Amino acid sequence: MRRIRFFTALTLAMALGLTGAPAAAGATPVVEDLGPASQVTSISAAEFVGDRLYLGTGGIKPTRIGAYDPAQRKVTSITELPSGDGTWAAAAVGTDLYVGTYTPGDIHKVDTRTGTATKVADVRPDNFIWSLDAAPDGKIYAGTYPRGRVVEYDPATGQTRDFGQAVAGEQYVRSIAVDDTTIYAGVGAKAHLIAIDRVTGAKRELLPAELADRTFVATLALEGGLLAAGLSATGDLMLMETADPSRHVLVDAPGDSYVTAIGIDAPNDDVYFGTRPSGTLYRYDRDSAKLDRLAVPYDGASFNRIFVGGGKVTGVLTSSVVEYDLATGELTGVDLTQAGMPPAPELAMAVTATRDQVLVSGKAGVQVHDLATGGSTRTFLPGEAKAMTVVGKQVYLSVYTLAYLFGMRPDGSDLRRLARVGEEQNRPLDAHHDPVSRRLLVGTQPEYGLHGGALALYDPRGDRIETFRNIIANQSIRSVTARFGTAYVASEISGGLGTTPVAKQAELAAFDLRTKRVRWSVVPVEGATVISELVSHGAMLYGIADTGVLFEFDPRRKKVTRTVAVPLSKSRTGTIVRASGRLYGTDGESVYRIDPLAMTTSTVVDGLAAQAYGSQPLLAAAPDGAALYALRGRNLVRIVL
């Protein structure tokens, strides 16, 4: 009799979601909306028009342009653009501000007198404007992606002119500067500095041969015949005389990889620039060839623009504006959210869950949702967490750029930088904690323009990291799992952005965590170029290939045993998580249950229309398996199983 009563109570508890066991198949789950997954004030473009600094947002929709008054330290007005998911570039002509957007790649005119915005041109078939500058005669020049073109827009006639691809085969015009006669285009992912005649369209290379091994001419500034260029990924500043390009100087920012913004003080012959990862503001005195380290607003600060004038240097950062007083050396700043630039829902990048919190990463921060109160707070992060891994009372963040590892507590406190993957890696793609070796396993993609991803092994006990590059030749490590002392890694054929794949098919490899060697590597699914997910369940591995199949793989026999068709995201990827001994998957539109015994799937929730950053759909499981966390639009939802 006691057995019957116990069984009945347990069944009721399971139905109510009070235990870690999932509800019976076919039961309708409860979907709870937890509000915007991640909210941010993220500035990625800036330009002065008169005494107002106009700030353009990235990662939110609609794109907003805020008018910031430095005297009041307030945003006095906000204009929304009619299209675009964000902006990286702006330029001014008189009282008009021109803004280049991405997805789609449109050029908008903001009339700063009336606060109205109008689309005036586009750069189709490209969908991304990386850079924008205005010529002295008022014409606008845009650098595009993914075809790496230069496009002219003439406000006087409303016409556009296509100068074509700056360098054959290169996808990015990341920076642009213009004078009376010439367009200067900074190109990647193999660095070039191209001078284009504005009349004839003739092109010539200006980058010195000894600098051709760089990945990008990522930043340009032009003033008084001096062209300043930031080179990646070595963090060099090159100064070149436009009248005689053979006259150039290379300035090294020690320990940094990127020059993110440059301001030229032509009357005093000084050049100011900001670097990453240190977040340092430097001054280079051309007369004395002296480099001064002026200030660090905060660890990892990223300068988007630097302006020099009025006895100060103004820097625009991710969500703040800082001013460096040249006379006193004092650095002051204002948080733009407090100044009146409101945060808005962004495209989330990763999600993970603890018993009490759900963490969602985005641009320069992690949104921490408190499940008890229903509220959320934001923890600043100098980068973007592409993977978050909960291990006990720690959350490990695998961060782009420069493939850093950070640690923090689940409530967002005690954030600290732990290690860097190294080996020319910059974008983590997946991470997994192996309880046997007690290491965090991180799969990465290399720097722009390079091939050969890596598997990094981080040991928290000794704060040590080991990185093994190219364990799947010329491919990036897209997904990682482990069982019984072996790491299993799956690849995508792409290298760093801006490269053409060398390999033809994605592979799955076994990496021995004791000997630190690859034991074997196979092609699990013929024709697949990306294996976007890999999990261990029972004696098998389960993965999702971009051919539209979920496959079961027996690591003992090194072969695929069964497959089933699954829905994929628009970028042909999918995600799998474990919850209470069951497997669940998502394509961003639906969440489905996977039955490994029958090798079938059944829909749990549909119609999510998730909006996430990048290609990987987001899904996380509560530690007790009673719920899943996913996106519906840009909101976080809890799916009570």
Side-chain angles (χ1 to χ4, degrees):
M1 191 66 177
R2 287 181 182 172
R3 247 187 234 168
I4 293 174
R5 286 175 180 163
F6 177 77
F7 177 77
T8 303
L10 178 60
T11 303
L12 178 61
M14 289 171 59
L16 295 175
L18 300 178
T19 77
T28 302
V30 176
V31 180
E32 301 171 347
D33 194 313
L34 303 181
S38 183
Q39 295 194 93
V40 68
T41 300
S42 180
I43 304 303
S44 48
E47 187 64 72
F48 268 103
V49 179
D51 61 357
R52 291 292 192 274
L53 179 57
Y54 286 83
L55 308 167
T57 59
I60 67 170
K61 194 171 184 177
T63 301
R64 293 171 175 169
I65 307 298
Y68 174 76
D69 182 352
Q72 301 182 63
R73 295 197 167 191
K74 289 184 179 180
V75 173
T76 57
S77 66
I78 295 175
T79 301
E80 294 185 347
L81 300 188
S83 65
D85 285 341
T87 175
W88 279 107
V93 178
T95 59
D96 292 329
L97 180 75
Y98 290 89
V99 182
T101 61
Y102 55 86
T103 53
D106 291 340
I107 299 175
H108 300 81
K109 182 181 82 171
V110 177
D111 185 330
T112 63
R113 296 168 301 178
T114 63
T116 57
T118 308
K119 175 189 169 182
V120 294
D122 61 62
V123 295
R124 294 175 186 163
D126 286 345
N127 65 352
F128 210 114
I129 295 175
W130 264 115
S131 50
L132 209 66
D133 196 22
D137 61 5
K139 291 182 180 179
I140 301 297
Y141 293 85
T144 77
Y145 168 85
R147 290 170 177 82
R149 298 154 52 229
V150 172
V151 177
E152 174 192 271
Y153 168 69
D154 187 347
T157 65
Q159 300 299 307
T160 59
R161 176 186 177 187
D162 188 354
F163 285 85
Q165 196 167 36
V167 176
E170 295 302 327
Q171 299 178 11
Y172 295 85
V173 175
R174 284 288 289 266
S175 54
I176 203 162
V178 191
D179 62 19
D180 288 320
T181 62
T182 308
I183 309 160
Y184 300 94
V187 175
K190 293 181 181 177
H192 296 271
L193 176 57
I194 303 299
I196 304 173
D197 188 289
R198 291 180 59 197
V199 176
T200 67
K203 301 179 177 73
R204 57 194 173 101
E205 176 71 76
L206 298 183
L207 190 68
E210 64 269 22
L211 303 178
D213 61 343
R214 306 313 201 258
T215 57
F216 275 99
V217 176
T219 316
L220 287 175
L222 177 60
E223 189 75 33
L226 176 66
L227 183 65
L231 307 178
S232 301
T234 52
D236 301 318
L237 175 72
M238 182 183 70
L239 303 176
M240 176 180 286
E241 300 284 350
T242 58
D244 182 4
S246 68
R247 298 181 61 187
H248 60 269
V249 173
L250 202 64
V251 181
D252 177 50
D256 278 307
S257 298
Y258 305 115
V259 172
T260 60
I262 306 169
I264 300 176
D265 182 5
N268 293 312
D269 235 8
D270 292 333
V271 180
Y272 297 85
F273 61 102
T275 61
R276 286 196 72 194
S278 71
T280 303
L281 175 66
Y282 284 98
R283 174 176 54 205
Y284 179 72
D285 185 327
R286 296 181 67 210
D287 295 327
S288 65
K290 182 183 178 183
L291 181 66
D292 293 318
R293 189 173 186 266
L294 300 181
V296 179
Y298 52 80
D299 183 38
S302 180
F303 289 86
N304 292 318
R305 290 293 303 275
I306 289 175
F307 304 93
V308 186
K312 61 188 176 183
V313 178
T314 301
V316 180
L317 308 176
T318 306
S319 57
S320 60
V321 174
V322 299
E323 293 180 353
Y324 180 84
D325 189 301
L326 292 172
T328 67
E330 182 183 8
L331 183 74
T332 58
V334 60
D335 179 273
L336 289 170
T337 301
Q338 296 176 354
M341 197 77 181
E346 65 170 332
L347 297 174
M349 298 185 184
V351 60
T352 193
T354 69
R355 184 187 67 178
D356 301 315
Q357 298 95 3
V358 181
L359 292 83
V360 183
S361 69
K363 287 183 177 294
V366 176
Q367 201 84 20
V368 181
H369 294 259
D370 187 311
L371 294 174
T373 66
S376 71
T377 57
R378 191 169 184 87
T379 294
F380 170 78
L381 176 71
E384 302 168 356
K386 299 300 186 183
M388 298 186 290
T389 312
V390 178
V391 183
K393 296 182 179 180
Q394 290 293 311
V395 181
Y396 293 100
L397 312 174
S398 303
V399 175
Y400 167 85
T401 58
L402 296 171
Y404 272 109
L405 301 183
F406 284 77
M408 71 178 188
R409 296 187 183 278
D411 63 2
S413 64
D414 194 27
L415 178 73
R416 63 211 180 281
R417 184 179 293 175
L418 301 174
R420 185 176 175 184
V421 169
E423 292 290 334
E424 298 181 305
Q425 305 297 297
N426 82 334
R427 190 184 300 266
L429 299 177
D430 193 22
H432 174 81
H433 180 256
D434 174 34
V436 176
S437 66
R438 291 191 283 179
R439 286 177 171 83
L440 182 71
L441 317 178
V442 183
T444 60
Q445 182 182 63
E447 268 283 358
Y448 291 83
L450 303 179
H451 289 95
L455 173 67
L457 314 178
Y458 175 69
D459 186 349
R461 294 165 296 178
D463 195 29
R464 296 187 302 269
I465 192 165
E466 298 176 277
T467 301
F468 301 87
R469 187 175 180 183
N470 225 24
I471 60 175
I472 298 180
N474 296 312
Q475 302 198 42
S476 299
I477 303 302
R478 180 60 182 264
S479 45
V480 183
T481 191
R483 61 191 305 271
F484 303 133
T486 299
Y488 295 96
V489 299
S491 68
E492 66 179 29
I493 65 172
S494 300
L497 299 186
T499 61
T500 300
V502 174
K504 302 300 182 184
Q505 298 186 98
E507 298 181 26
L508 190 159
F511 183 87
D512 192 309
L513 292 171
R514 183 181 60 84
T515 65
K516 313 293 175 59
R517 294 183 180 275
V518 176
R519 298 209 324 257
W520 49 259
S521 182
V522 299
V523 174
V525 179
E526 291 293 330
T529 61
V530 178
I531 298 173
S532 59
E533 188 60 275
L534 193 67
V535 299
S536 174
H537 183 70
M540 300 294 187
L541 305 176
Y542 294 85
I544 294 179
D546 63 349
T547 55
V549 300
L550 183 152
F551 62 89
E552 178 186 75
F553 185 88
D554 186 341
R556 294 167 298 180
R557 293 188 286 167
K558 306 182 188 64
K559 64 179 294 186
V560 172
T561 50
R562 294 180 298 173
T563 64
V564 62
V566 292
L568 298 179
S569 69
K570 291 180 181 179
S571 53
R572 303 198 62 75
T573 59
T575 298
I576 306 171
V577 299
R578 288 168 49 94
S580 286
R582 293 196 177 196
L583 297 177
Y584 295 86
T586 186
D587 63 340
E589 182 63 32
S590 66
V591 172
Y592 52 87
R593 182 182 293 110
I594 302 163
D595 183 349
L597 295 178
M599 202 57 180
T600 58
T601 65
S602 56
T603 300
V604 176
V605 173
D606 206 353
L608 294 175
Q611 298 177 29
Y613 185 92
S615 62
Q616 193 78 1
L618 302 185
L619 188 66
D624 63 1
L628 301 174
Y629 297 94
L631 299 181
R632 183 165 58 192
R634 297 193 182 194
N635 278 17
L636 178 68
V637 295
R638 173 167 48 199
I639 304 168
V640 183
L641 298 173

